[in-house]
Amino acid sequence: MMRTDDPNFILRLARDEADLEAAQRLRYRVFVEELGGSGALVDHARGLERDRFDPHFEHLILIDRRRDPSAGEHVVGVYRLMPPERVEKAGGYYSATEYDLGPLRRGGRRLLELGRSCVDRAYRTSPAMFHLWKGLGQYVVERDIDILFGVASFHGTDLDALAAPLSLLHHRHLAPPDLRVTAIGPDARRMDLLPPDRIDRVAAARQIPALIKAYLRLGGFVGERAFVDWAFNTVDVCLVMDTRRMSDEVKAQYTSHYQAVG
């Protein structure tokens, strides 16, 4: 377990099928019911959002002690984590279905893929996401991770409506060449839809989801091109964060207060 400094919450990795199903049930509420996504292995009858990669990931879960685990709704926050030791058995990274990860894999550094991050609607004004970030920071430090990456999404598939935030990300936050993954396949789309002088930066920034902004504040970058995920009803960007490039100040904020407690 990991410290949350809040007696109502437990933060730990999923231990069994009940934990995993509770995480998938939360994901269903967020990604399917709220955002209109779907997928080949989504179980609508049982309310589970899942895919073929789930058995190979580790799942960092935030549990509210006040919820009854027998109802399968005790998980109120989740992060899906793929450390390097699990990649071969998984048959590769999830992100590789959308992006060419060659620049990251050729670097020979320790990678951690992140994904399916979400928090129950009722907890979004609570410190739930902060607890998850603390746990992620501890995980990164304990496993000596060098680079974090994963796709993050804009809701909807209307590229015209997202032209300003996508262009802002491309012009101001594009990854350097050694980290610059590129979207692949027929659903890859350009992000530089507007020139810099035509972007209302304030309005564009408001359209960028909070999770993406959080990675950018930590020194993260975006890959080249976006990917339209029609099944999930999203436009995805690939976020990449190199811990070596983080400033000492940011790194201290990211790694402080992370303690294992048994």
Side-chain angles (χ1 to χ4, degrees):
M1 289 195 297
M2 306 169 185
R3 188 180 304 279
T4 65
D5 299 322
D6 188 325
N8 292 319
F9 292 108
I10 298 171
L11 183 65
R12 60 173 171 79
L13 296 175
R15 295 172 176 167
D16 52 31
E17 192 65 23
D19 280 347
L20 176 56
E21 287 196 0
Q24 293 170 334
R25 187 165 288 109
L26 169 61
R27 285 162 36 185
Y28 186 91
R29 295 197 300 272
V30 175
F31 297 124
V32 180
E33 293 181 342
E34 288 187 40
L35 301 180
S38 189
L41 295 182
V42 170
D43 188 336
H44 294 285
R46 298 173 62 201
L48 304 176
E49 191 282 301
R50 57 187 186 177
D51 67 15
R52 73 171 185 86
F53 289 92
D54 272 335
H56 305 290
F57 274 84
E58 292 195 282
H59 302 263
L60 179 64
I61 56 175
L62 182 67
I63 297 170
D64 186 342
R65 295 175 184 264
R66 297 163 293 187
R67 287 197 170 194
D68 181 5
S70 65
E73 296 186 354
H74 55 294
V75 173
V76 298
V78 65
Y79 239 122
R80 199 167 76 161
L81 312 174
M82 177 73 79
E85 296 78 15
R86 291 175 171 240
V87 176
E88 183 176 357
K89 190 172 181 180
Y93 290 106
Y94 170 86
S95 302
T97 63
E98 300 184 4
Y99 281 81
D100 175 9
L101 303 178
L104 303 184
R105 305 199 73 170
R106 287 191 294 270
R109 303 175 67 199
R110 285 181 60 78
L111 308 178
L112 177 67
E113 183 180 36
L114 312 175
R116 292 301 200 272
S117 172
C118 62
V119 172
D120 186 282
R121 186 201 296 266
Y123 293 79
R124 291 176 195 162
T125 58
S126 76
M129 196 67 214
F130 174 71
H131 293 322
L132 285 172
W133 273 84
K134 286 179 67 175
L136 176 60
Q138 179 180 319
Y139 188 100
V140 166
V141 170
E142 290 181 348
R143 287 161 176 78
D144 197 26
I145 298 298
D146 297 310
I147 295 175
L148 297 82
F149 72 97
V151 297
S153 304
F154 289 84
H155 180 49
T157 57
D158 185 346
L159 288 169
D160 289 337
L162 298 173
L166 291 175
S167 298
L168 184 66
L169 291 176
H170 175 89
H171 293 304
R172 295 180 63 87
H173 300 285
L174 188 64
D178 61 317
L179 300 177
R180 193 176 300 168
V181 301
T182 303
I184 55 177
D187 295 315
R189 299 289 189 274
R190 290 177 52 186
M191 292 173 62
D192 55 337
L193 302 174
L194 298 173
D197 60 358
R198 287 187 53 202
I199 302 171
D200 181 337
R201 293 183 180 179
V202 174
R206 288 199 200 101
Q207 287 185 264
I208 298 175
L211 183 65
I212 296 177
K213 289 179 182 176
Y215 282 110
L216 298 179
R217 284 194 295 269
L218 287 171
F221 304 99
V222 297
E224 181 80 51
R225 309 177 80 189
F227 185 92
V228 181
D229 187 337
W230 301 103
F232 240 66
N233 191 34
T234 60
V235 172
D236 298 342
V237 296
C238 192
L239 291 163
V240 183
M241 188 164 66
D242 184 347
T243 60
R244 191 168 60 190
R245 282 181 164 93
M246 293 168 66
S247 70
D248 291 339
E249 180 181 357
V250 169
K251 192 176 295 186
Q253 294 174 359
Y254 185 65
T255 59
S256 64
H257 309 305
Y258 303 144
Q259 301 178 43
V261 292

